């Protein structure tokens, strides 16, 4: 039995030697074993349905790990019976007893609903390889002074892996009475089941410790039980108790025997800290159930007793000891139940190997991580070995004397992580530990000093040189950090390979080219000093990241001085000597572009630095183009650097450093801007109050509290105020001895001298507040012994404590009290007022937890990513809306790095944020009951939506088709997404195509969306796959005609061939070379049928063009518009009708060419077109009518008469090139209502006298004399009709010349619509009734008048009708 005995000693048991009677009995039994008996034959019924006692192997069973195929007795009973060979059974092996498996559910059935242990994996526990964490009052493992188990052995096995029992074993075993060396074999009979337990002498009580004689104990048990218990002597001095009877009765009787005569055992089982809550159960239900079933006492360490410094809760290598006390059988049963829970909860582990020195990491990982890949290959684990080529914090040890190995120490802040399957993780761990042991015996070190500038080239790009060095020499290199001044490199590896590695490193170092630049020498006459200017410029260029840019640009390494007062020499290193020269040249340009006139150093007290950064930096840049450079926070220098960058660089991220020496004008601009910036800085400082300093002597125990109080007092200061700065040093101790050179004192007798520095009265005011604070603290100190206690639900104690005690520590710090928790009772020690506040907060937390609900939703992992959203957007929205925490499981790959959604959603979240045991398909919602219910419902709705929109499909397309599918700016793909509503993911440029050149486009969405998108993409893919491309050479002179005006000709060709009329598709189908190109090739792309038709049409077009003729027609320029038509409509119609092209001379042409119209086309087409054009021009010969110029505008009526002739008689009018007479202004039609403002919609209506009316004679102002020709063009019969219409118009115009004109202005522009009426009905009626011509202005808002032309009586009548109409229509006062 794998238990450790804690008895007080091994004394002689009550049966120390065999009696003559017992020896005789053993001889009879041995003889009987060789006699054939009926009982030796196995019943066929027992083969098909064997009883529990017959399912045990014939080999002795020791307490070790089960094999990979072992199942429980209960599970075995559910297996389908298998046919077994019918040959007679072999003779039993009489050399080994049959031992009952105590894991059997039939032998030891569970008495309650506790967790059933699962079959463990066939390897030792993953946490058995390290010593458990210290627990208060813990007893070290071991029995009677024996050493505890080795850290590399399993915590569960006390026998060798071979299964052979060692002579020193002290296991108590429970055996089934079936066959053995000294016990006659019997066939099982119903109601007469037989089992046995076997004890070593050390596991039994001494005779003087028994309450009753052994025979009396057995007799009493037999009286109370339905089974019979007998005691027998076993091999090697063991004692066997055999129980016969009904199964349950026999087992219970044997348990009673073990309880009465067995010595008390104490077993310590190491378990992972993360499994502790599952061992305890809710309110202790699990551990209480185990105790009830087994009778053993189980002690699990309390949370506050567990010390886990530097460990994480998800580190399964962190263990604690669970103590089991009881008799041998009870302790063993309890141990197995506990290990069953552990196995169930730790199918995957997350281990950290903390005891391995960092110097071994490169050898464990191997060159290019080859050994890590070998460990992970085919295993469900992830091994992470941190890169280690630069030490940090802990330097390597010094080189040891010759012949000795160095002592490497582990760094507690760095460790190797192994996560994944428990069995595979343990194998990987064992392999790493084996490697470490080998390395301890092999690895030595040597040290070599190399210039720091060459270190980077030893590392190489991403450590490639180090990997190559490790692969070639078997040695690793450790470099010093940039913060350390040493140049010493440490080479680690086997002694025989160290010299080879040093040679390789020196070759790498000496392959570098180096150039040195004295920055101070470039500006030796700087007013502030050459070195000061060089240091300031170097600081500025570092802050502007110019050094990093130069290193990237020239593949070089630039080393700057590390000390403040050292000469400012820059060193440039590069493998390429040319890059060294280029980098040096560029640096010189940078230095020359930043003379002392471009930089200015201004001394400013460090107190103001942060204030200047907040209040002045941006203003100085915006107003003067000057960059403000402050010292680093840890640098107490008072020098503030002002650098001129230019007023046109508002964004610092877009600034490009100059590399040209400034001109005198630029230097003057530098000085002017820097002078203004300096004046602004000094003005901000001088305008503030005088700085004031005060010092306080503060006892050390109040020092930290006072510093926090200062922060609280100033946290709400306005941004314009400068907070008081606090510095403190440890003052003399209580005896007055100086503290210089002594370590920092923290005793109550020591005091801190706290210095407050700030402006004016702010320091005095703060000092007064701090003095009051100290008085309160001293008063509170007198009440520190006050204790307030109250009940707190024990089931929420872990939540109150929090992860690593963070919640209870937060309460302790916030309320300044001591808080202890014992068995559901909280004790708060501290001042009464603060204790009451802490009590109220903790009670409120308990009430909140009482109202808290937890929902566990089963959601398949493939939906988790979509439900979480980008960067947790959807889950965070749920948490914020319902004040709950939604916890999705982590994956094995990122279990150690992931701190996923809602890790800090509540003050108790950290204590419940251990996800190592969360199933991969479980989503946990925890929070207030109402919020949790609503969040659950919404999450389920989101799940349903996700399921509905998670249909997927993939379409295979040619990789060369992707650009056309995406379109310009992604337009085509966006149109496809909008049309289908599906999510369409195009493979990235880094994704390679399959051997056939095809890639997969992923589609996701609803079923309908996916189907539509799949169909659309498959159609496009098929069309692309069927696409061919042909090229045809066409003389460049035909391209323009082939394209046609606005692409009309080629569009017609493509559409006629069956192509698309979409503009973008058409552009891809036929591609012409650019006009400026000399290329003649036209590319045609599309399906074979369409391409063939298009190429045929182009060839026919070219053939026709090559055989075409040219005809010149003489047509007067004034007739050209007849050939062109409005917007070129007539010319296009002629070209389309006769298949020719018409070239009409431009207006800018002069001479004879102005009248030459060129026709190009086939001879037959030219003849028809020529005849049609001449006929068209001939028909358009016009008739000229002389119209008096003074009547021109009256007749034209603003162009109405011209439109009437064209629409009714098909006759056009021109004036033979003469300009129409100017329109006479006459009386102004714009009357601004007698100078008054037009009314608003909210104005009250005026009286009836608000309108304006004026009449004039129509012939006033007429000064035009003479005639203007009106050329009427059209068919002869139409011209005749037009002439008659023109004659009537002239007669009417002459009569109107003798009439009058009236101008009527209405006061309200809104009433003009009543004059017009619906569809012009009202105004037309007035015109017919009065015979007057009435014009209503279009823009009534401008106060223009209504013009009435007619006889004097007629216009008066029209005016009256208009006023009456407006009045009757609701116009009000007019």
């Amino acid at each position: 039995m794998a238990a450790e005995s804690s008895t007080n000693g091994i004394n002689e048991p009550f049966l120390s030697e065999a009696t003559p009677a017992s020896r005789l009995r053993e001889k009879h039994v041995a003889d009987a074993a060789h006699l054939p008996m009926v009982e030796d034959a196995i019943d066929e019924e027992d083969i098909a349905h064997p009883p529990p006692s017959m399912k045990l192997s014939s080999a002795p069973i020791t307490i070790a790990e089960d094999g990979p195929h072992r199942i429980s007795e209960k599970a075995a009973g559910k297996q389908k019976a298998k046919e077994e060979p019918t040959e007679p059974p072999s003779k039993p092996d009489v050399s080994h007893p049959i031992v009952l498996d105590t894991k059997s559910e039939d032998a030891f059935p569970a008495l309650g609903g506790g967790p059933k242990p699962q079959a463990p994996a066939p390897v030792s526990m993953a946490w058995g390889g390290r010593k458990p964490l210290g627990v208060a009052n813990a007893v070290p493992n071991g029995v009677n002074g024996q050493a505890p188990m080795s850290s590399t052995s399993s915590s569960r096995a006390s026998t060798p892996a071979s299964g052979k029992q060692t002579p020193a074993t002290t296991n108590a075993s429970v055996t089934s009475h079936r066959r053995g060396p000294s016990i006659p074999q019997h066939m099982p009979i119903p109601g007469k089941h037989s089992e046995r337990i076997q004890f070593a002498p050390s596991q039994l009580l001494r005779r003087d410790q028994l309450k009753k004689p052994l025979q009396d104990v057995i007799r009493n048990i037999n009286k109370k039980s339905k089974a019979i218990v007998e005691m027998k002597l076993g091999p090697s001095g063991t004692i066997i108790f055999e129980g016969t009877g009904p199964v349950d009765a026999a087992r219970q009787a044997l348990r009673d025997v073990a309880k009465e005569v067995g010595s008390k055992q104490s077993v310590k089982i190491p378990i992972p800290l993360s499994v502790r809550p599952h061992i305890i159960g809710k309110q202790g239900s699990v551990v209480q159930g185990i105790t009830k079933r087994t009778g053993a006492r189980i002690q699990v360490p309390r949370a506050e007793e567990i010390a886990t410094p530097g460990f994480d809760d998800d580190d399964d290598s962190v263990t604690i000891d669970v103590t089991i006390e009881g008799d041998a059988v009870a302790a063993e049963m309890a141990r197995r139940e506990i290990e069953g829970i552990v196995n169930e909860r730790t199918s995957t582990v997350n281990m950290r190997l903390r005891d391995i020195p960092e110097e071994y990491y490169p050898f464990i990982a191997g060159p290019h991580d080859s050994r890590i890949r070998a460990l992970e290959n085919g295993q469900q684990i992830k091994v992470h070995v941190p890169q280690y080529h630069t030490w940090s914090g802990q330097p390597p040890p010094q080189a040891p004397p010759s012949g000795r190995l160095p002592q490497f120490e582990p760094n507690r802040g760095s460790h190797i992580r192994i996560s994944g399957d428990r069995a595979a993780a343990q194998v990987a761990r064992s392999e790493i530990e084996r490697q470490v042991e080998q390395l301890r015996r092999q690895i030595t070190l040597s040290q070599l000093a190399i210039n720091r500038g060459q270190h980077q080239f030893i590392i190489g790009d991403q450590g490639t040189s180090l990997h190559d060095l490790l692969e070639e020499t078997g040695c690793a290199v450790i470099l010093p950090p940039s913060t350390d001044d040493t140049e010493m490199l440490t080479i680690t590896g086997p002694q025989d390979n160290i010299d080879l590695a040093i040679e390789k490193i020196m070759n790498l170092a000496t392959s570098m080219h180096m150039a040195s630049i004295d920055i101070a020498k470039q500006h030796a006459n700087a007013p502030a000093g050459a070195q000061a200017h060089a240091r300031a410029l170097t600081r500025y260029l570092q802050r502007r990241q110019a050094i990093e840019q130069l290193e990237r640009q020239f593949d070089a390494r630039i080393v700057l001085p590390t000390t403040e007062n050292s000469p400012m020499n820059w060193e440039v290193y590069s493998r390429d000597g040319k890059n060294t020269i280029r980098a040096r040249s560029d640096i010189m340009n940078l230095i020359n572009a930043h003379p002392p006139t471009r930089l200015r150093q201004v001394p400013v007290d460090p107190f103001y630095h942060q204030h200047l950064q907040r209040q002045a930096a941006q203003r100085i840049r915006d107003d003067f183009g000057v960059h403000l450079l402050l010292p680093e926070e840890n640098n107490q220098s008072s020098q503030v650097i002002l650098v001129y960058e230019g007023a046109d660089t508002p964004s610092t991220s877009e600034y490009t450093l100059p590399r040209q020496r400034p001109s005198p004008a630029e230097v003057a601009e530098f000085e002017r801007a820097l002078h203004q910036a300096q004046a602004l800085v000094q003005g901000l400082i001088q305008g503030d109050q005088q700085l004031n300093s005060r010092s306080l002597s503060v006892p050390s125990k109040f020092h930290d509290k006072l510093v926090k109080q200062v922060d609280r007092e100033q946290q709400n200061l306005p941004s314009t105020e400068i907070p008081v700065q606090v510095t403190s040093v440890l003052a003399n101790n209580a005896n007055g001895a100086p503290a210089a050179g002594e370590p920092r004192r923290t005793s109550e007798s020591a005091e801190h001298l706290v210095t407050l520095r700030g402006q004016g009265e702010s320091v005095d005011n703060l000092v007064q507040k701090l003095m009051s604070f100290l008085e309160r603290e001293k008063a509170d100190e007198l009440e520190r012994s006050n204790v307030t206690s109250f009940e707190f639900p024990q089931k929420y104690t872990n939540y109150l404590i929090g992860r690593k005690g963070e919640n209870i520590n937060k309460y302790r710090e916030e309320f300044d009290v001591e808080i202890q928790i014992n068995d559901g009772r909280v004790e708060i020690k501290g001042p009464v007022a603060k204790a009451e506040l802490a009590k109220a907060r903790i009670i409120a937390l308990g009430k909140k937890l009482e109202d808290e609900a937890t929902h566990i939703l089963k959601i398949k992992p493939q939906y988790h990513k979509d439900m979480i959203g980008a960067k947790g957007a959807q889950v965070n929205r749920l948490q914020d809306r319902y004040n709950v925490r939604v916890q999705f499981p982590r994956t094995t790959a990122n279990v150690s790095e992931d701190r996923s959604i809602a890790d800090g959603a509540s003050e108790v979240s950290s204590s419940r944020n251990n996800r190592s045991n969360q199933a991969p398909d479980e989503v946990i919602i925890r929070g207030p009951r109402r919020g949790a219910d609503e969040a659950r419902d919404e999450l389920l709705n989101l799940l349903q939506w996700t399921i509905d929109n998670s249909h997927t499909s993939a379409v295979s397309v040619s990789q060369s088709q992707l650009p056309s599918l995406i379109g310009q700016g992604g337009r085509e793909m966006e149109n496809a997404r909008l049309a289908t509503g599906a999510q369409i993911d195009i493979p990235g440029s880094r994704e390679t195509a399959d051997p056939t050149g095809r890639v997969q486009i992923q589609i996701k969405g609803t079923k309908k969306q996916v189907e539509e998108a799949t169909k659309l993409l498959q159609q496009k893919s098929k069309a692309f796959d069927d696409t061919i491309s042909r090229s045809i050479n066409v003389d460049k002179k035909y391209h323009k005609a082939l394209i046609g005006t606005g692409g009309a000709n080629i569009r017609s060709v493509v559409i006629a061939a069956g192509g698309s009329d979409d503009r973008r598709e058409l552009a891809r189908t036929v591609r012409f070379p650019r006009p400026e190109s000399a290329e003649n090739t036209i590319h045609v792309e599309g399906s074979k049928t369409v391409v063939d038709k298009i190429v045929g049409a182009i060839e026919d077009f070219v053939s026709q063009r090559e055989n075409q003729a040219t005809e010149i027609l003489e047509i007067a320029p004034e007739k050209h518009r007849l050939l062109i038509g409005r917007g070129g409509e007539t010319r296009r119609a002629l070209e389309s009708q006769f298949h020719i092209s018409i070239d009409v001379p431009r207006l800018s042409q002069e001479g004879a060419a102005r009248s030459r119209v060129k026709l190009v086309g086939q001879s037959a087409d030219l003849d028809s077109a020529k005849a049609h054009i001449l006929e068209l021009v001939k028909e358009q010969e016009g008739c000229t009518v002389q119209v008096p110029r003074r009547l021109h505008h009256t007749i034209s009526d603003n162009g109405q008469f011209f439109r009437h002739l064209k629409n009714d008689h098909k006759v056009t009018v021109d004036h033979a090139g003469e300009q129409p007479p100017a329109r006479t202004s006459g009386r102004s039609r714009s009357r601004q209502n007698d100078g008054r403002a037009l009314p608003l919609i909210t104005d009250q209506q005026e009286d009836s006298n608000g309108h304006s009316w004026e009449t004039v004679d129509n012939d006033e102002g007429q000064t035009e004399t003479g005639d203007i020709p009106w050329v009427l063009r059209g068919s002869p019969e139409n011209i005749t009709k037009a002439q008659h219409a023109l004659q009537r118009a002239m007669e009417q115009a002459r009569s109107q010349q003798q009439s009058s004109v009236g101008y009527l202005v209405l006061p309200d522009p809104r009433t003009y619509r009543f004059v017009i009426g619906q569809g012009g009905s009202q105004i037309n009626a007035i015109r017919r009734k009065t015979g007057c011509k009435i014009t209503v202005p279009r823009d009534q808002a401008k106060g223009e008048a209504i013009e009435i032309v007619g006889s004097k009586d007629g216009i008066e009548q029209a005016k009256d009708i208009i006023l009456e109409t407006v009045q009757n229509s609701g116009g009000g006062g007019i």
Side-chain angles (χ1 to χ4, degrees), residues 853-864 867 875 878 882 884-889 917-926 931-944 947:
T854 300
H855 300 302
I856 300 178
L857 307 181
K858 289 290 186 178
I859 299 176
K860 294 182 179 179
Q862 63 260 34
Y863 302 127
H864 290 184
M867 297 182 68
V875 172
L878 283 176
Y882 300 113
V884 298
R885 187 165 62 92
V886 182
Q887 179 174 299
F888 280 80
N917 301 316
Q918 184 176 350
D921 63 343
E922 288 183 355
V923 177
I924 301 174
I925 303 174
R926 183 180 289 114
D933 292 344
E934 293 177 349
R936 174 198 58 195
D937 296 341
E938 186 166 342
L939 199 63
L940 291 175
N941 292 335
L942 177 61
L943 171 62
Q944 187 59 48
I947 294 174

Side-chain angles (χ1 to χ4, degrees), residues 516-824:
S516 179
I517 307 171
D518 188 353
I519 305 301
K521 185 178 179 181
Q522 307 306 315
H523 300 292
N525 299 324
Q531 292 294 336
H533 172 73
R535 280 192 291 271
L537 180 56
T538 301
R539 276 178 53 196
Y540 168 70
L541 294 177
Q542 282 182 295
R543 195 74 61 88
R544 276 300 191 182
Q545 299 181 347
I547 310 302
E548 292 84 347
Q549 294 176 5
L550 289 169
E551 290 178 335
R552 291 193 299 267
Q553 181 178 356
F554 298 107
D555 190 21
R557 167 71 172 164
I558 301 175
V559 180
L560 306 178
T562 56
T563 58
E564 181 68 22
N565 297 321
S566 60
M568 297 305 296
N569 290 330
W570 292 16
E571 295 179 352
V572 182
Y573 295 88
S574 176
R575 286 193 175 92
D576 189 348
K578 295 180 180 178
N579 281 348
T580 305
I581 297 174
R582 295 189 187 101
R584 188 180 189 280
S585 176
D586 201 27
I587 292 172
M588 295 297 295
N589 292 335
L590 273 176
I591 302 305
N592 292 330
H594 292 82
T597 53
R598 195 167 197 140
L599 282 78
R600 182 166 298 187
Q601 301 184 56
V602 181
V604 177
D605 193 297
F607 176 81
Y608 295 104
H609 286 180
Q610 293 303 317
H611 177 66
L612 289 177
Q613 181 65 41
R614 292 192 303 267
Q615 300 296 326
Q618 191 61 41
R619 179 180 172 185
I620 290 174
R621 165 165 292 284
D622 295 340
D623 294 348
F624 312 117
V626 174
H627 179 72
L628 178 68
L629 185 64
L630 298 171
E632 300 289 344
E633 291 185 4
N634 56 356
N635 188 347
Q636 293 301 315
S637 172
S638 62
Q639 295 297 325
V640 173
I641 302 174
L642 302 176
V643 186
Y644 180 82
E645 293 185 343
D648 57 344
T649 56
S651 175
T652 58
S653 61
E654 299 175 0
Y655 179 64
T656 302
L657 291 169
R659 284 171 168 77
Q660 298 291 334
R661 189 183 299 274
S663 64
E666 291 174 331
V667 170
E669 176 63 20
F670 299 165
E671 294 180 342
R672 182 192 63 80
L674 291 174
H675 177 75
Q676 293 175 342
Q678 180 178 355
L680 175 62
V681 170
Q682 293 175 342
L684 288 174
I685 297 173
Q686 294 172 359
D688 290 329
Q689 305 174 26
Q690 188 68 25
L691 292 181
N692 187 16
S693 295
R694 292 282 301 275
S695 296
L696 294 176
S697 182
V698 181
S700 294
K701 61 182 176 182
F702 299 136
H703 172 263
D704 293 340
K705 295 180 181 179
L706 183 133
V707 173
K708 293 177 181 177
Q709 181 65 19
V710 171
D711 294 337
R712 286 193 291 267
E713 290 287 348
Q714 300 189 113
Q715 63 183 0
N716 295 323
L717 281 180
S719 59
T720 56
E721 293 189 21
I722 307 176
V724 175
Q725 295 180 356
V726 181
T727 57
S728 64
V729 295
L730 188 64
N732 294 346
N733 58 25
N735 298 325
E742 294 184 3
R744 180 184 178 95
R745 295 180 181 269
T746 57
S747 64
E748 295 185 0
S749 62
E751 291 190 348
H752 278 80
L753 186 64
V754 177
T755 302
L756 306 177
R757 191 163 183 260
Q759 294 178 330
E761 298 180 354
S762 60
V763 175
D764 297 332
N765 295 335
L766 183 58
V767 167
Q768 292 297 328
K769 294 179 180 179
L770 295 180
M771 294 294 292
S772 300
F773 171 76
L774 288 175
E775 292 299 328
R776 291 195 302 271
E777 287 297 319
K778 292 177 181 178
D780 289 345
E781 197 68 19
L782 300 176
E783 299 182 4
R784 287 292 170 187
S785 59
N786 173 70
V787 176
T788 301
S789 61
F790 56 93
E791 298 293 333
F792 186 83
Q794 188 171 4
K795 58 185 176 182
Y796 300 132
T797 300
N798 289 342
Y799 305 151
L800 174 59
I801 295 174
R803 182 184 183 187
K804 298 182 181 179
E806 64 180 13
N807 289 341
I808 198 164
N809 289 333
K810 182 177 69 174
Y811 291 143
R812 288 167 178 164
E813 181 178 348
E814 180 179 354
F815 299 106
D816 189 25
V817 293
E818 293 290 334
I819 303 176
Q820 297 296 332
I821 305 172
N822 287 312
D823 296 330

Side-chain angles (χ1 to χ4, degrees), residues 973-982 1012 1016:
M973 185 52 58
E974 187 62 25
N975 291 338
R977 293 187 179 111
L978 293 175
T980 63
E1012 292 178 354
L1016 176 63

Side-chain angles (χ1 to χ4, degrees), residues 448 450 454 457-459 464-477 489 491 497-512 575:
L448 178 67
I450 291 182
Q454 298 169 314
F457 301 99
I458 296 174
I459 298 176
T464 53
S465 297
L466 298 182
H467 284 288
D468 295 340
L469 179 70
L470 180 62
E471 187 173 17
E472 295 175 12
T473 67
C475 295
V477 180
L489 273 65
I491 300 97
N497 298 352
I498 289 291
D499 292 339
L500 178 61
I502 292 176
E503 185 70 21
K504 177 74 174 178
I505 292 170
M506 290 192 295
N507 291 338
L508 288 173
T510 55
S511 65
M512 303 301 114
R575 286 193 175 92

Side-chain angles (χ1 to χ4, degrees), residues 107 201 337 432 434 451 508 544 714 836 954 989 1074 1111 1220:
E337 285 207 33
I432 292 175
R434 184 190 64 78
N451 195 310
L508 288 173
R544 276 300 191 182
Q714 300 189 113
E836 290 297 328
S989 58
R1074 294 183 177 276
E1111 185 76 28

